[in-house]
Amino acid sequence: MSEQSTADVRSELGKPFERLLEILGEVDDLGKAGAVLQWDHQTYMPKGGAAGRAQILGTLARLSHQRFTSDEVGELLAQLAPALSKLDPSGFEASLIRVTQREYGRFKKLPTRLVEEQARVSSEAQAVWVEARQNQDFPRFQPYLEKLFALAREAAEHLGYQEDPYDALLDLYEPGLRTSEVASLFATLKARLVPLVNAITEAKQHRSPGGQAGKAGEAGEAGGDSLLRQHFDEAGQWELGLRALRAMGFDFERGRQDRSAHPFTITLAPGDIRITTRIVPDDFTSALFSTMHEGGHALYEQGIPPELARTPLGSAASLGVHESQSRLWENVVGRSRHFWQYFLPQAQEIFPAQLGGVTVDRIYRAVNRVERSFIRTEADEVTYNLHVILRFELELAVLHGELPVSDLPAAWDDKMQQYLGIRPPNVSLGVLQDIHWSQGSIGYFPTYTLGNVLSVQFWQQALSEEPGITDAIARGELHVLKDWLNRRVHVHGAKFEPRDLVQRVTGRPLDPQPYLNYIETKYRELYGLGS
Ligand code: ZN
């Protein structure tokens, strides 16, 4: 590549590029205006605002879609395309043209009629899903789910794919990732996680009711439960969460935390990243870990360079990469011994009555309990991915026409039995537990497990480049890790597809081995299993 300066490149690309930037900026502004309304919707809006808010959000989405898919954008991209081969592919200009082409192509391929029908059916389906879940009534939801799968299948045909219609759906969340890669990754994970869950379950059963707990027994259920199941007042929990965020390097000048029913992160502007948390009075770790999780998402958003703002590059590389950041902070850091060496005294200062006298080892074991449970969002590190793998396998089977939607509840329960050894007592604790399918988000679930796998691959790379990170964490210097992530991951925004980003950061393709080694080492030690 030539040593051209950005100014030279820009003047060569001329007016079409400047005009493209202008339009993309406006599209981004419309999206951010919608984000403010959504944030308010989920935090402070009174119930009565719902109908009016939905209307405004619909209008903003339509305007932004029209603007982005206009013929003018198509013409500008066509004018700029020949220059692509001459530009540095990792530079701002080439990346912007490339990513805009991808997004534009995707939107143009979907007929407006289909997009509108998906929006209408999913909005109806969500309301029905809420009701069906409450009443444990799958047949009520079934026709909507059938319709949503049919629409997803249709969308896949319009979007196009090389091997599998699921590729087209997956690509919406994880650009470039293939179904076959997910299937092989998940097969590897399943082969080692299912036996591990079984071994842990067996080890727990050998530990007695009331019997002598050995070394492993300290991980024990009773110990964990009683420690965490005490009353922790809300003000104290709030303060503890803020301390964790400050230690992580969350910039309160460029963001804030509020409360909401379901924790989330949303970007209102490059200098205004919002997160929310939910406080559970009898378990302080619930809010703490959700705060660290959303904090991890927020550090990513805060770490994206302002030069990428108001363009499609000013966001995360993918959902999976985003989740790698939240999981890294929540689990790899937040559930580590090093973190609690630093953080237990902090927690004891705020909750002396509840936590005074507790050792690092005891809290470490308490926050790492493994439990076979029905609900994905409450699952521990070891069982979590099995919940995701099950969903992936089922949605693939339905999409391929191999499994009728009417058979989903039974198929779900069978897989729960097979992977986790438990059977949901009803559909609300089974097939109806997640909102995703009702929103038409088919192909989304794999990104959660991808995030877990990537979190450890990035972590291992950070350790190899800066071996002092774990000791720094034990001293409360969490910013050492944050700075590394800023430099190596966040700085690229959405310039590269996840595959290229992972290769660039770790020098290797996506690899489940570091993750599996991390899980096995950690939990074999916790549960006193031989290796
Ligand atoms: Zn997340």
Side-chain angles (χ1 to χ4, degrees):
M1 291 303 132
S2 66
E3 292 293 309
Q4 269 185 314
S5 74
T6 305
D8 290 344
V9 173
R10 288 285 274 276
S11 73
E12 223 166 276
L13 290 170
K15 281 222 170 76
F17 190 78
E18 299 308 320
R19 177 65 185 143
L20 182 65
L21 274 181
E22 204 175 292
I23 297 175
L24 293 175
E26 288 172 1
V27 170
D28 195 71
D29 291 345
L30 290 166
K32 295 294 192 287
V36 180
L37 296 176
Q38 272 166 8
W39 172 82
D40 175 70
H41 186 174
Q42 303 200 37
T43 49
Y44 299 111
M45 188 187 81
K47 248 191 183 161
R53 186 60 52 91
Q55 189 135 35
I56 304 170
L57 284 169
T59 300
L60 282 173
R62 197 179 61 248
L63 288 174
S64 139
H65 186 260
Q66 280 170 356
R67 197 103 185 88
F68 185 64
T69 56
S70 66
D71 293 340
E72 189 184 1
V73 171
E75 285 153 21
L76 292 168
L77 285 170
Q79 288 171 42
L80 292 165
L84 251 189
S85 59
K86 286 176 260 162
L87 297 169
D88 171 2
S90 60
F92 173 77
E93 293 79 10
S95 301
L96 185 83
I97 297 169
R98 194 177 56 236
V99 170
T100 307
Q101 276 176 342
R102 181 186 78 205
E103 298 300 311
Y104 180 81
R106 177 181 285 164
F107 278 118
K108 284 303 255 193
K109 283 180 195 157
L110 291 177
T112 315
R113 172 205 51 81
L114 179 60
V115 174
E116 281 172 3
E117 195 174 357
Q118 280 181 317
R120 184 179 54 73
V121 175
S122 68
S123 123
E124 286 170 21
Q126 279 174 64
V128 173
W129 166 75
V130 170
E131 194 191 310
R133 188 173 68 152
Q134 240 159 39
N135 302 327
Q136 303 174 11
D137 182 3
F138 185 79
R140 172 90 178 89
F141 182 54
Q142 186 186 316
Y144 292 87
L145 193 54
E146 281 166 351
K147 185 75 191 160
L148 286 166
F149 267 101
L151 290 171
R153 176 78 212 208
E154 201 187 330
E157 294 306 327
H158 285 287
L159 290 165
Y161 50 86
Q162 298 217 343
E163 296 165 2
D164 193 302
Y166 195 87
D167 287 347
L169 306 178
L170 192 60
D171 192 69
L172 299 172
Y173 309 107
E174 212 54 40
L177 189 68
R178 294 278 179 84
T179 309
S180 53
E181 294 172 286
V182 175
S184 114
L185 172 74
F186 283 9
T188 306
L189 293 176
K190 205 163 62 174
R192 280 170 58 184
L193 291 176
V194 172
L196 182 61
V197 172
N198 289 339
I200 289 173
T201 307
E202 206 171 302
K204 280 164 62 170
Q205 277 160 358
H206 283 291
R207 251 182 268 133
S208 65
Q212 283 304 101
K215 188 161 165 276
E218 290 156 29
E221 308 313 287
D225 268 356
S226 63
L227 175 57
L228 301 182
R229 251 180 231 154
Q230 307 182 64
H231 181 77
F232 298 91
D233 69 77
E234 298 196 358
Q237 289 204 42
W238 187 257
E239 171 57 24
L240 195 64
L242 293 184
R243 286 191 188 190
L245 286 173
R246 274 187 223 115
M248 288 165 66
F250 180 88
D251 181 354
F252 284 90
E253 297 286 310
R254 299 173 58 229
R256 53 176 281 142
Q257 178 172 252
D258 290 86
R259 290 172 68 163
S260 68
H262 303 283
F264 65 97
T265 301
I266 197 162
T267 295
L268 307 189
D272 187 359
I273 318 296
R274 306 291 177 97
I275 59 174
T276 66
T277 197
R278 170 179 53 195
I279 289 176
V280 179
D282 65 356
D283 178 2
F284 78 99
T285 59
S286 168
L288 177 65
F289 289 131
S290 105
T291 295
M292 292 184 78
H293 180 101
E294 301 307 329
H297 283 305
L299 291 186
Y300 192 177
E301 295 286 329
Q302 288 188 335
I304 294 171
E307 308 89 83
L308 303 182
R310 296 185 77 239
T311 79
L313 304 181
S315 59
S318 70
L319 287 185
V321 176
H322 226 313
E323 197 68 6
S324 77
Q325 302 302 293
S326 57
R327 290 279 166 177
L328 176 51
W329 287 101
E330 176 193 356
N331 289 333
V332 182
V333 174
R335 288 186 161 88
S336 73
R337 268 206 179 87
H338 289 91
F339 174 72
W340 284 98
Q341 280 169 24
Y342 154 65
F343 209 65
L344 181 59
Q346 302 277 325
Q348 285 170 326
E349 199 179 300
I350 295 176
F351 298 116
Q354 297 92 327
L355 300 176
V358 169
T359 61
V360 170
D361 196 59
R362 173 122 189 255
I363 191 95
Y364 172 68
R365 290 174 183 279
V367 301
N368 285 299
R369 292 171 71 236
V370 176
E371 191 88 74
R372 298 180 303 173
S373 61
F374 299 116
I375 303 292
R376 172 185 60 85
T377 55
E378 291 163 14
D380 55 81
E381 279 186 287
V382 182
T383 55
Y384 187 91
N385 297 302
L386 296 173
H387 289 268
V388 172
I389 292 169
L390 165 163
R391 285 153 175 78
F392 165 72
E393 291 173 349
L394 292 177
E395 55 184 24
L396 200 58
V398 174
L399 196 76
H400 288 173
E402 293 154 11
L403 177 71
V405 169
S406 56
D407 289 351
L408 257 180
W412 181 288
D413 294 353
D414 289 347
K415 281 197 186 285
M416 279 297 285
Q417 183 77 54
Q418 203 183 332
Y419 300 160
L420 286 161
I422 50 173
R423 233 184 151 75
N426 59 60
V427 285
S428 307
L429 290 172
V431 70
L432 286 181
Q433 66 183 267
D434 293 304
I435 194 172
H436 303 60
W437 287 342
S438 77
Q439 294 173 320
S441 301
I442 294 159
Y444 184 116
F445 282 118
T447 67
Y448 290 125
T449 285
L450 207 62
N452 287 332
V453 169
L454 277 176
S455 72
V456 177
Q457 195 169 338
F458 286 146
W459 168 249
Q460 293 293 344
Q461 185 62 28
L463 285 183
S464 75
E465 292 177 28
E466 301 214 20
I469 283 184
T470 42
D471 289 338
I473 290 173
R475 293 192 302 268
E477 294 161 18
L478 279 61
H479 60 86
V480 180
L481 175 60
K482 182 215 143 209
D483 292 344
W484 184 88
L485 292 166
N486 281 162
R487 278 199 314 278
R488 306 282 277 115
V489 180
H490 305 164
V491 66
H492 302 300
K495 270 187 184 175
F496 308 114
E497 290 194 351
R499 185 191 314 280
D500 301 332
L501 180 71
V502 172
Q503 183 74 40
R504 195 171 270 268
V505 175
T506 69
R508 284 176 302 147
L510 175 73
D511 178 6
Q513 296 310 325
Y515 178 73
L516 283 166
N517 294 341
Y518 155 83
I519 289 283
E520 286 174 347
T521 308
K522 177 173 177 179
Y523 288 92
R524 284 188 170 281
E525 191 263 333
L526 270 163
Y527 282 90
L529 307 171
S531 38

